[in-house]
Amino acid sequence: MTGVWALAALWLGLALIASLISIWLRISTALSEIVVGTIAQLIIGAVIGSAILGTDESWVKFLSGIGAIVLTFLAGAELDPQVFRLKWKEAAAVGLASFFFPFLACAAAAHYLLGWEVMPSWLAGVAMSTTSVAVVYAVMLEFGFNATEYGKTVLAACFVTDLGTVVALGLIFAPFTMRTLVFIGVGVTVFMILPWLTPRFFKLYGNRRSELETKFLLFCLLGMGALAGWADSEAVLPAYLIGMVLAGTVGRDHALVRRLRTLTFGLLTPFYFIRAGSFVSIPALVAAPAAFTFFLAVKIATKIVGVYPVTKFYGSPNKEAMYTTLLMSTGLTFGTISSLFGLSHGIIDQGQYSALVAAVIGSAVIPTIIANAFYLPHHLLPKKEEASEEPTGATPVRQAARGAK
């Protein structure tokens, strides 16, 4: 076990360095973990050997996988059901435009302009279509937009975009067999029962030191993840839908969300993001930089073409419309999940993976910087008195979210 403890210490040491970098540079922790993983693999691989990082160790894969599952669940649980019911037309229109335009354009560009095969091209379209809930949510919290109708509508639109990504990833790359039918049938049943069962189960047995709520949720997530794997699908797909159907229950339990965030961001997601970053080949990017800059440009351009007219249609002023468009152009979590899915299933090679992840990382940073520097809608900023007022129990969630930056 000495080797296991030493390797675990190495990974958590890298996670600690990534957290410090995120604090110093005021960027997302997920982004810094990906970059640290990339640099660590380059330096450690050159000095000692690439195998020393242990990315193929079974327990590293397990922690990485469960990190992606729980993070995806939390993203689905961020949906505000009340706001979505009130603003569903606008949120759906923005979200669908944000998904379809880059999805189709990037897939076509990869195939016809870069010469990629059909399936890698579709994978590129999926990876580039995403919007980062983590990045957008962090921005909403930073400026207080999360307490406004505008911010909640943007977050609902992010949900629609990422739901499109989840569905596309499953429909295009999961083979349709009898196992798929079983998976769909069991999934529909579970998604219908959970919203009824969960609040009653928590009310009867919850609020105990045994953390029954967390165990129950992990049981559901891993159980459906195992069924998805058996059906040759991806475990993050049912996790997002479980989060969505439990948004009105788990999403409103701020103490439970705080505990889940502590578990996820404190232990699990560092393994996922550092491992994802370790697969990025810097020599490949240096040798062929055109691919990732091409994807980044196409993604942002198609997001503007698709989202900006929709926001104008619903009456947004120019600055507000452009701010929304740039936030919808961000990508991180689902982009890396989709890219890593393609690499691990042999759909894309490491060079293609490196180009996609580099473009995803760029889209997490560049649109956000431009949006906040030039298009921040000051007229929508809540007053200081309003911004300081938070619902009971919301403070831990905000603190946890800020800690996840």
Side-chain angles (χ1 to χ4, degrees):
M1 291 296 292
T2 302
V4 173
W5 303 138
L7 187 57
L10 172 62
W11 279 75
L12 292 177
L14 293 174
L16 180 60
I17 293 172
S19 296
L20 291 173
I21 292 175
S22 71
I23 294 172
W24 295 332
L25 301 182
R26 296 184 179 182
I27 61 176
S28 167
T29 303
L31 176 60
S32 64
E33 286 171 350
I34 292 174
V35 174
V36 166
T38 302
I39 296 175
Q41 181 68 10
L42 178 67
I43 296 175
I44 295 175
V47 175
I48 303 177
S50 58
I52 196 66
L53 201 58
T55 54
D56 290 328
E57 292 287 337
S58 58
W59 64 271
V60 172
K61 290 182 178 178
F62 169 75
L63 291 177
S64 171
I66 195 173
I69 290 172
V70 181
L71 181 63
T72 306
F73 164 78
L74 287 173
E78 292 289 353
L79 176 67
D80 189 326
Q82 293 182 346
V83 172
F84 192 76
R85 282 194 292 268
L86 292 174
K87 306 282 287 187
W88 70 270
K89 290 183 180 180
E90 180 178 353
V94 171
L96 290 174
S98 174
F99 166 72
F100 277 110
F101 277 79
F103 170 63
L104 296 175
C106 289
H111 183 63
Y112 293 107
L113 298 181
L114 296 183
W116 288 19
E117 297 295 331
V118 174
M119 296 310 286
S121 298
W122 283 121
L123 195 281
V126 171
M128 292 296 102
S129 69
T130 61
T131 294
S132 174
V133 174
V135 173
V136 174
Y137 189 51
V139 173
M140 297 290 106
L141 285 172
E142 180 179 356
F143 294 102
F145 288 135
N146 63 301
T148 67
E149 186 177 275
Y150 165 76
K152 293 178 180 179
T153 303
V154 172
L155 287 172
C158 294
F159 159 77
V160 174
T161 300
D162 287 339
L163 181 61
T165 300
V166 168
V167 172
L169 189 65
L171 291 180
I172 296 175
F173 298 103
F176 195 87
T177 63
M178 284 300 298
R179 293 186 177 187
T180 308
L181 292 177
V182 173
F183 171 58
I184 294 175
V186 174
V188 170
T189 304
V190 170
F191 302 147
M192 292 177 62
I193 293 176
L194 278 180
W196 175 87
L197 174 64
T198 302
R200 291 166 174 79
F201 187 67
F202 285 3
K203 183 178 180 180
L204 186 62
Y205 297 108
N207 296 319
R208 302 172 189 270
R209 293 183 179 178
S210 61
E211 295 290 350
L212 177 138
E213 297 93 337
T214 302
K215 295 173 183 175
F216 174 79
L217 292 174
L218 289 175
F219 167 74
C220 295
L221 293 173
L222 296 180
M224 287 302 300
L227 186 62
W230 175 77
D232 294 323
S233 183
E234 185 65 18
V236 298
L237 306 184
Y240 196 73
L241 295 176
I242 290 175
M244 179 189 70
V245 300
L246 293 182
T249 301
V250 175
R252 294 178 178 176
D253 190 338
H254 301 294
L256 176 58
V257 170
R258 181 184 60 180
R259 297 196 297 271
L260 287 173
R261 285 183 178 274
T262 300
L263 170 67
T264 305
F265 292 105
L267 175 64
L268 301 176
T269 54
F271 283 88
Y272 172 73
F273 286 116
I274 291 174
R275 185 171 184 266
S278 70
F279 290 122
V280 177
S281 173
I282 292 181
L285 292 177
V286 172
F292 80 88
T293 53
F294 172 79
F295 279 123
L296 178 60
V298 172
K299 172 177 180 173
I300 296 177
T302 52
K303 290 274 188 177
I304 293 174
V305 170
V307 175
Y308 185 80
V310 177
T311 58
K312 293 295 294 179
F313 176 80
Y314 282 96
S316 297
N318 290 335
K319 180 175 283 191
E320 178 184 331
M322 196 63 189
Y323 190 76
T324 301
T325 300
L326 288 170
L327 288 184
M328 296 301 295
S329 301
T330 60
L332 190 61
T333 307
F334 277 103
T336 54
I337 286 175
S338 301
S339 301
L340 190 56
F341 174 89
L343 180 65
S344 61
H345 286 76
I347 300 170
I348 56 177
D349 58 34
Q350 190 173 34
Q352 293 169 325
Y353 171 83
S354 299
L356 291 176
V357 172
V360 168
I361 293 173
S363 71
V365 178
I366 295 175
T368 306
I369 293 175
I370 296 174
N372 291 334
F374 300 104
Y375 298 101
L376 184 67
H378 294 277
H379 66 284
L380 294 176
L381 291 172
K383 297 179 181 179
K384 292 183 179 181
E385 295 80 6
E386 295 176 356
S388 63
E389 294 176 1
E390 291 205 10
T392 303
T395 301
V397 179
R398 172 169 287 189
Q399 291 173 344
R402 283 176 176 165
K405 289 183 182 180

